[in-house]
Amino acid sequence: MAGVTLIALLALPASAFAPPRDVSGTLDFSGINDAANEAVASGEIPGAVVMVGRGDDILLHRAYGSRRLLPQPAPMTVDTIFDLASLTKPFGTTLAVMCLVERGAIKLDAPLGRYLKEFRDKQYDEITIKRLLTHSAGLVAYPPNGAVSAGFPRAASAIAKLPLDYPPGSAFQYSDTGFILLAEVVRRVSGTPLDRYLEKTVFKPLGLNDTSFHPKAGALGRVAPTEFVNGLLLRGEVHDQRARLLGGVAGHAGMFSTSADLSRIIRMLLNRGTLDGHRIFAPATVKEMWEPTPDSKSGRALGWDVSSSFSRTMAPFFPERSVGHTGFTGTAVWIDPPTRSYLIVLSNRVHPYGGGESRIRDLRIRVAAGAGAQLFQPPVVADPGPISGPAADGPTPERVLPGEAALPPERVLTGLDVLADQKYAMLLGHSVGLVTNQTGVDMRGRRSIDLLANAPGVRLQAIFTPEHGLMGQANADVPHGRDAATGRPIWSLYGVTRRPTPAMLKDITLLVFDIQDVGARYYTYLTTLVYVMEEAAKQRIPVLVLDRPNPINGRIVEGPLMDPDLQSFTAPHPIPVRTGLTIGEFGRLAAAERKIPVSLTVVPLVGWERDRWFDETGLPWVNPSPNIRSVTQALLYSGIGLLEATNLSVGRGTDLPFEVIGAPWIEPRGLAEALNRQGLRGVRFDPIWFTPTADVYASISCGGVRIVVTDREAIRPVTVAFALARTLRERHRDQFRPESIQNLLVNRSTMWAFLRGEVLDRLVAWAEIDRSSFLNRRASYLMYR
């Protein structure tokens, strides 16, 4: 029913000059209500206001909980005034800067020194206004309090004396410092302080009566207080300490506003710079402001977030190229310009004594998920047919008939075995950096480290290790070290850095990659390979990948492709969840499609075919990570791993990781029966009670199911994960928190379909919608039949 209502809604004309209409209730925002009410009930967040809009229509506008708890409780109301914290950056400073850009008073590509004399030294030439807006100017994230305590203009001199953290334009680092300087740019260029400039150019023309840097005395009763500081409760005074030192008017924080006023700014921007007949910006200015800039390096537009690491609670539930921002006090806004849709979440999560950080993260995720599932419904997919999951991508292996003798499979040689057979000819004369871990062994179990260290004509210069470290046992960041047997340095690629640095690569003439993958996109060894290739290309070092089998075979591909803008350490490239690739094939595909200018060679397997599982290769099994201890667990991980970020135990801390799932609130028998009734191929669900010794629900008894693989050729683990999640949502809606499935799924269409409650066969159809295009893409990079 919600889908029909939304179609009708989209058919309505949108007027740029009409007052907002409240059409609450026409869509199902129960997920938002549940999330907000539970956040308040937890006691970690006093209250919140949520608004969802499309164009000039208000789809949801609701207050939850309390505006304040101390000194006297007061209920939250929709007209509550909030400390916006870092929402000041896009809704204040950025708008002021862009006003001056539009008037020709500021040039985006001009050096900061053109406007602030303290930065006229040549060393600051690459610090441009655009790089300040995109947090790529090289500045420290937060200036010392002493640097700003004297106020401007002296603060500019103090900041100019701080060393740069990185060369401008070469990286992304979120920086309050840059926006503090931008406010001073506005003051010097316009001749007016930031607050008064915004009042004149934006706030007053838009009729924003509750938006300012210093709330009016008559409005203080509606201000949501934040935290006690030195025994005094902040109410109407900015929470950010540096903004307070600057008198409450700063470029990085200091604004106060309501959801209604923010909505008017958003509607003005969505209406191409105009609202109620008042032109604030030219359409081209709004477009330029929201366009992701290549110079930002990490998903930022001018003053706005698009897909940086700070966007992860909101952007995965809004369409690609949507924009927004979050704020420390518990504020957030996300906007999708093409559909003219937006979400506002305002809270004072730090009231009264700080805290609420994890709860506000959870609230943002759940509210964004609830809004996105209703706002964004892509075209209907074709009838998917029966629920079986995708077919295999190649001929089904021939079955041996009764009475026939099966030929013994050919023994498989890994790339390492092939290299050794060739007397390491490809390495002769090279100083080698070896990227490996405990899985880097030959058919006799000998470490690649020892083989290369003793190979004639080869110098093993250094060892690099991925997540879990050289022994594959670490479950946290891995420190650097030294290999006891060879004395070579061990550089961790899962610690302070996840990429090999130029210092680590010094004197290396060839990088060799020898790590066993498990065939799932979110297994981080794939990302490590991408990072190694990218950094090697910068240093003009060739890369040699010693290929290893896909342990769960290379014939079956399953699950949705990653949305390209949601790239992360667990989402390296737009490929399906179950990749159907060896790590060498993945390297070839990623290097070509990402246009990495690396000299890449893959030493192929000998004797491996796409339908062969690891236990059919004759190779020794080495646990690739602490909780994948068998081929069956690797297989199930390619689907059940999607559920790890939810509030379920997936069996970590038991003898059956990824073979059991559970939680204290699950009734096992009913869940098992409900799942078995669905008739999924190749799997059976048995009720079970278990108590993890570590990880989620450590030492707590959990009810759940054991996932028993009855036919590994037929089971589709991603489909199994969807079935589990849907069934749990139906049976335990008040307890199960599935929104974080998107952490590893990273596919909006499939996630929206799940959150809308679509049936399993349609959910699988969404997951497989780009399957054919991927199979065509990968065909050029396959090395085995």
Short mmCIF file of all heavy atoms in Angstrom, two decimals, residues 406-414 418 443 549 605-609 611-619 785:
data_model
loop_
_atom_site.label_atom_id
_atom_site.label_comp_id
_atom_site.label_asym_id
_atom_site.label_seq_id
_atom_site.Cartn_x
_atom_site.Cartn_y
_atom_site.Cartn_z
N ALA A 406 35.04 -43.01 -10.58
CA ALA A 406 35.41 -41.59 -10.69
C ALA A 406 36.92 -41.47 -10.83
O ALA A 406 37.67 -42.14 -10.12
CB ALA A 406 34.93 -40.82 -9.46
N LEU A 407 37.36 -40.66 -11.77
CA LEU A 407 38.79 -40.41 -11.92
C LEU A 407 39.27 -39.53 -10.77
O LEU A 407 38.59 -38.57 -10.39
CB LEU A 407 39.07 -39.70 -13.26
CG LEU A 407 38.77 -40.53 -14.52
CD1 LEU A 407 38.95 -39.65 -15.75
CD2 LEU A 407 39.69 -41.74 -14.58
N PRO A 408 40.40 -39.84 -10.18
CA PRO A 408 40.89 -38.98 -9.09
C PRO A 408 41.20 -37.60 -9.62
O PRO A 408 41.75 -37.45 -10.72
CB PRO A 408 42.17 -39.71 -8.64
CG PRO A 408 42.59 -40.52 -9.81
CD PRO A 408 41.33 -40.93 -10.51
N PRO A 409 40.83 -36.55 -8.89
CA PRO A 409 41.10 -35.20 -9.36
C PRO A 409 42.59 -34.93 -9.40
O PRO A 409 43.37 -35.45 -8.60
CB PRO A 409 40.40 -34.32 -8.31
CG PRO A 409 40.35 -35.17 -7.07
CD PRO A 409 40.18 -36.58 -7.56
N GLU A 410 42.97 -34.10 -10.37
CA GLU A 410 44.37 -33.71 -10.47
C GLU A 410 44.74 -32.87 -9.26
O GLU A 410 43.98 -32.03 -8.81
CB GLU A 410 44.55 -32.90 -11.76
CG GLU A 410 45.97 -32.44 -12.00
CD GLU A 410 46.08 -31.56 -13.25
OE1 GLU A 410 45.05 -31.37 -13.92
OE2 GLU A 410 47.19 -31.07 -13.52
N ARG A 411 45.94 -33.11 -8.75
CA ARG A 411 46.41 -32.30 -7.62
C ARG A 411 46.64 -30.87 -8.09
O ARG A 411 47.19 -30.63 -9.16
CB ARG A 411 47.70 -32.89 -7.06
CG ARG A 411 48.13 -32.25 -5.73
CD ARG A 411 49.41 -32.87 -5.23
NE ARG A 411 49.77 -32.31 -3.93
CZ ARG A 411 49.41 -32.83 -2.77
NH1 ARG A 411 48.68 -33.94 -2.74
NH2 ARG A 411 49.77 -32.27 -1.63
N VAL A 412 46.23 -29.94 -7.25
CA VAL A 412 46.34 -28.53 -7.61
C VAL A 412 47.67 -27.98 -7.10
O VAL A 412 48.11 -28.28 -5.99
CB VAL A 412 45.16 -27.74 -7.01
CG1 VAL A 412 45.37 -26.23 -7.18
CG2 VAL A 412 43.84 -28.17 -7.65
N LEU A 413 48.29 -27.17 -7.94
CA LEU A 413 49.48 -26.43 -7.54
C LEU A 413 49.10 -24.96 -7.40
O LEU A 413 48.50 -24.38 -8.32
CB LEU A 413 50.60 -26.57 -8.58
CG LEU A 413 51.12 -27.98 -8.88
CD1 LEU A 413 52.22 -27.90 -9.93
CD2 LEU A 413 51.62 -28.64 -7.62
N THR A 414 49.43 -24.34 -6.27
CA THR A 414 49.20 -22.92 -6.11
C THR A 414 50.24 -22.13 -6.89
O THR A 414 51.24 -22.68 -7.38
CB THR A 414 49.29 -22.51 -4.64
OG1 THR A 414 50.65 -22.67 -4.20
CG2 THR A 414 48.37 -23.34 -3.77
N VAL A 418 54.02 -23.25 -8.17
CA VAL A 418 54.50 -23.05 -9.53
C VAL A 418 55.80 -22.23 -9.51
O VAL A 418 56.77 -22.54 -10.21
CB VAL A 418 53.43 -22.36 -10.39
CG1 VAL A 418 53.99 -21.97 -11.76
CG2 VAL A 418 52.21 -23.26 -10.55
N MET A 443 52.45 -26.71 -0.98
CA MET A 443 51.71 -27.97 -0.80
C MET A 443 52.28 -28.83 0.34
O MET A 443 51.58 -29.69 0.86
CB MET A 443 51.71 -28.77 -2.12
CG MET A 443 53.10 -29.28 -2.51
SD MET A 443 53.04 -30.44 -3.90
CE MET A 443 52.40 -29.40 -5.20
N PRO A 549 43.25 -21.06 -4.88
CA PRO A 549 41.88 -21.39 -5.26
C PRO A 549 40.85 -20.54 -4.53
O PRO A 549 41.07 -20.10 -3.41
CB PRO A 549 41.73 -22.86 -4.83
CG PRO A 549 43.12 -23.36 -4.63
CD PRO A 549 43.94 -22.18 -4.23
N LEU A 605 47.23 -20.88 -10.99
CA LEU A 605 47.13 -22.23 -10.44
C LEU A 605 47.31 -23.25 -11.56
O LEU A 605 46.99 -22.98 -12.72
CB LEU A 605 45.75 -22.43 -9.81
CG LEU A 605 45.39 -21.55 -8.61
CD1 LEU A 605 43.87 -21.40 -8.50
CD2 LEU A 605 45.94 -22.17 -7.33
N VAL A 606 47.74 -24.42 -11.20
CA VAL A 606 47.78 -25.54 -12.13
C VAL A 606 46.86 -26.63 -11.61
O VAL A 606 46.94 -27.01 -10.43
CB VAL A 606 49.22 -26.08 -12.29
CG1 VAL A 606 49.21 -27.38 -13.10
CG2 VAL A 606 50.13 -25.05 -12.95
N GLY A 607 45.96 -27.10 -12.47
CA GLY A 607 45.08 -28.21 -12.10
C GLY A 607 43.78 -27.79 -11.45
O GLY A 607 42.96 -28.66 -11.11
N TRP A 608 43.53 -26.49 -11.26
CA TRP A 608 42.27 -26.06 -10.64
C TRP A 608 41.26 -25.71 -11.70
O TRP A 608 41.58 -25.05 -12.70
CB TRP A 608 42.52 -24.86 -9.73
CG TRP A 608 41.31 -24.47 -8.91
CD1 TRP A 608 40.84 -25.10 -7.80
CD2 TRP A 608 40.43 -23.37 -9.14
NE1 TRP A 608 39.72 -24.47 -7.31
CE2 TRP A 608 39.44 -23.40 -8.12
CE3 TRP A 608 40.36 -22.37 -10.10
CZ2 TRP A 608 38.41 -22.46 -8.04
CZ3 TRP A 608 39.33 -21.43 -10.02
CH2 TRP A 608 38.38 -21.48 -9.00
N GLU A 609 40.04 -26.15 -11.51
CA GLU A 609 38.91 -25.79 -12.37
C GLU A 609 37.85 -25.11 -11.51
O GLU A 609 37.80 -25.30 -10.29
CB GLU A 609 38.35 -27.02 -13.08
CG GLU A 609 39.37 -27.65 -14.02
CD GLU A 609 38.82 -28.87 -14.74
OE1 GLU A 609 37.72 -29.33 -14.35
OE2 GLU A 609 39.50 -29.37 -15.65
N ASP A 611 34.82 -25.48 -10.78
CA ASP A 611 33.84 -26.20 -9.96
C ASP A 611 34.48 -26.91 -8.76
O ASP A 611 33.79 -27.60 -8.01
CB ASP A 611 33.07 -27.21 -10.82
CG ASP A 611 33.96 -28.28 -11.42
OD1 ASP A 611 35.20 -28.15 -11.32
OD2 ASP A 611 33.43 -29.24 -11.99
N ARG A 612 35.77 -26.74 -8.56
CA ARG A 612 36.45 -27.47 -7.49
C ARG A 612 36.45 -26.68 -6.20
O ARG A 612 36.77 -25.48 -6.17
CB ARG A 612 37.88 -27.82 -7.90
CG ARG A 612 37.92 -28.84 -9.03
CD ARG A 612 39.32 -29.20 -9.43
NE ARG A 612 39.98 -30.04 -8.43
CZ ARG A 612 41.15 -30.63 -8.64
NH1 ARG A 612 41.78 -30.48 -9.79
NH2 ARG A 612 41.69 -31.39 -7.71
N TRP A 613 36.10 -27.37 -5.12
CA TRP A 613 36.13 -26.81 -3.78
C TRP A 613 37.52 -27.04 -3.20
O TRP A 613 38.28 -27.88 -3.67
CB TRP A 613 35.07 -27.49 -2.91
CG TRP A 613 33.68 -27.29 -3.41
CD1 TRP A 613 33.11 -27.88 -4.50
CD2 TRP A 613 32.68 -26.43 -2.85
NE1 TRP A 613 31.81 -27.46 -4.66
CE2 TRP A 613 31.52 -26.56 -3.65
CE3 TRP A 613 32.65 -25.57 -1.76
CZ2 TRP A 613 30.34 -25.87 -3.38
CZ3 TRP A 613 31.47 -24.89 -1.48
CH2 TRP A 613 30.34 -25.02 -2.29
N PHE A 614 37.84 -26.32 -2.14
CA PHE A 614 39.19 -26.40 -1.60
C PHE A 614 39.54 -27.82 -1.15
O PHE A 614 40.66 -28.29 -1.34
CB PHE A 614 39.37 -25.42 -0.43
CG PHE A 614 40.81 -25.23 -0.05
CD1 PHE A 614 41.55 -24.21 -0.60
CD2 PHE A 614 41.43 -26.08 0.86
CE1 PHE A 614 42.89 -24.04 -0.27
CE2 PHE A 614 42.76 -25.91 1.21
CZ PHE A 614 43.50 -24.89 0.63
N ASP A 615 38.56 -28.52 -0.55
CA ASP A 615 38.86 -29.85 -0.05
C ASP A 615 38.96 -30.88 -1.18
O ASP A 615 39.14 -32.08 -0.93
CB ASP A 615 37.83 -30.29 0.99
CG ASP A 615 36.40 -30.18 0.51
OD1 ASP A 615 36.17 -30.02 -0.72
OD2 ASP A 615 35.48 -30.22 1.35
N GLU A 616 38.86 -30.45 -2.43
CA GLU A 616 39.09 -31.31 -3.58
C GLU A 616 40.42 -30.99 -4.27
O GLU A 616 40.68 -31.51 -5.35
CB GLU A 616 37.94 -31.15 -4.59
CG GLU A 616 36.58 -31.56 -4.04
CD GLU A 616 35.43 -31.20 -4.95
OE1 GLU A 616 35.56 -30.23 -5.73
OE2 GLU A 616 34.38 -31.87 -4.87
N THR A 617 41.24 -30.14 -3.66
CA THR A 617 42.48 -29.72 -4.31
C THR A 617 43.70 -30.50 -3.86
O THR A 617 44.75 -30.44 -4.52
CB THR A 617 42.75 -28.22 -4.03
OG1 THR A 617 42.97 -28.05 -2.61
CG2 THR A 617 41.59 -27.35 -4.49
N GLY A 618 43.60 -31.18 -2.72
CA GLY A 618 44.77 -31.85 -2.16
C GLY A 618 45.71 -30.91 -1.43
O GLY A 618 46.77 -31.33 -0.95
N LEU A 619 45.35 -29.63 -1.32
CA LEU A 619 46.19 -28.65 -0.63
C LEU A 619 45.89 -28.66 0.87
O LEU A 619 44.77 -28.97 1.29
CB LEU A 619 45.93 -27.25 -1.19
CG LEU A 619 46.33 -27.03 -2.65
CD1 LEU A 619 45.79 -25.70 -3.17
CD2 LEU A 619 47.86 -27.07 -2.79
N ARG A 785 38.83 -22.60 -16.50
CA ARG A 785 37.56 -23.02 -17.11
C ARG A 785 36.66 -23.66 -16.07
O ARG A 785 37.08 -24.07 -15.01
CB ARG A 785 37.80 -23.98 -18.27
CG ARG A 785 38.47 -25.29 -17.88
CD ARG A 785 38.75 -26.13 -19.11
NE ARG A 785 39.41 -27.39 -18.78
CZ ARG A 785 38.75 -28.50 -18.43
NH1 ARG A 785 37.43 -28.50 -18.38
NH2 ARG A 785 39.41 -29.60 -18.13
#
